[in-house]
Amino acid sequence: MSKDDKYLRTAFDLLDRNRDGRVTANELQFMLKNLGINVRDEIIHDLIREASHSGNGLINEAEFLQWVGRIQALRDEQQQQHDDSSSTASKPVDEADDVTEDLIAAFRVFDRDGNGFITRDELQTAMEMIGEPLNEQQLEQLLAIADLDQDGRINYEEFTRLLL
């Protein structure tokens, strides 16, 4: 299992609040709202419908991994096109800017003291706040995955790598 797969499986587990192996629109919306990311219900339902092969409004882990893989491929393709373009004309605010703003807002939810780092205690408190309390083992696993420089806390770059 690659490191990316491990991250995605952790993300899926966080979304799957009732641990039934499927993510509903309500579970996705709950997590996003608690991260300070407001998305209209219609968009959430469209995202779920796009990801669910069965059309039942539920996403299993395999569908989730495929769906995120497609999103990452599109993002990489867009980044490549952006890098290839030599145009210096100003561009309108795009979805990447929106994602960045959302990630900063989510990071601030976790970084309670605003020092630019998410500590172990802040991570535990934030996870409880979004309805995903972690036991000691889960907390250690999440920190091991997210804390790339192993300084015992998560900085913004590590946080975004975990989520993207």
Side-chain angles (χ1 to χ4, degrees):
M1 177 187 326
S2 75
K3 190 186 278 190
D4 287 344
D5 285 348
K6 196 174 194 179
Y7 293 152
L8 292 176
R9 289 183 198 291
T10 299
F12 181 84
D13 289 343
L14 291 173
L15 287 168
D16 183 18
R17 298 191 65 223
N18 65 357
R19 305 286 184 250
D20 67 352
R22 301 174 302 192
V23 172
T24 66
N26 288 339
E27 288 171 324
L28 181 57
Q29 185 71 284
F30 178 84
M31 178 67 77
L32 291 173
K33 279 185 179 174
N34 282 305
L35 290 172
I37 302 169
N38 294 311
V39 179
R40 290 190 330 266
D41 287 342
E42 311 85 72
I43 293 174
I44 294 291
H45 288 286
D46 287 347
L47 291 171
I48 295 288
R49 200 170 20 260
E50 175 188 328
S52 174
H53 299 297
S54 63
N56 62 1
L58 303 169
I59 304 173
N60 65 31
E61 187 175 280
E63 291 169 333
F64 178 79
L65 294 174
Q66 288 176 341
W67 179 58
V68 172
R70 285 195 313 266
I71 291 170
Q72 288 174 327
L74 287 171
R75 185 192 66 200
D76 293 347
E77 185 179 302
Q78 287 177 336
Q79 183 63 43
Q80 183 63 41
Q81 289 173 354
H82 180 270
D83 292 347
D84 290 346
S85 76
S86 58
S87 169
T88 58
S90 65
K91 295 185 166 112
V93 175
D94 61 8
E95 288 181 29
D97 293 333
D98 291 343
V99 169
T100 300
E101 288 176 24
D102 290 344
L103 286 171
I104 291 169
F107 184 81
R108 287 182 180 146
V109 168
F110 284 78
D111 180 21
R112 304 298 283 177
D113 62 6
N115 69 349
F117 298 95
I118 300 169
T119 64
R120 175 189 178 85
D121 290 340
E122 288 172 326
L123 179 61
Q124 188 166 30
T125 300
M127 294 306 293
E128 288 170 1
M129 187 177 79
I130 63 173
E132 295 293 335
L134 301 175
N135 64 34
E136 284 301 311
Q137 181 182 4
Q138 292 168 321
L139 189 59
E140 288 296 326
Q141 288 174 340
L142 188 52
L143 276 171
I145 291 169
D147 184 18
L148 300 175
D149 62 9
Q150 298 178 344
D151 65 352
R153 54 194 186 169
I154 302 168
N155 62 36
Y156 177 74
E157 181 180 334
E158 292 167 332
F159 182 77
T160 56
R161 285 180 187 229
L162 179 65
L163 296 178
L164 297 178

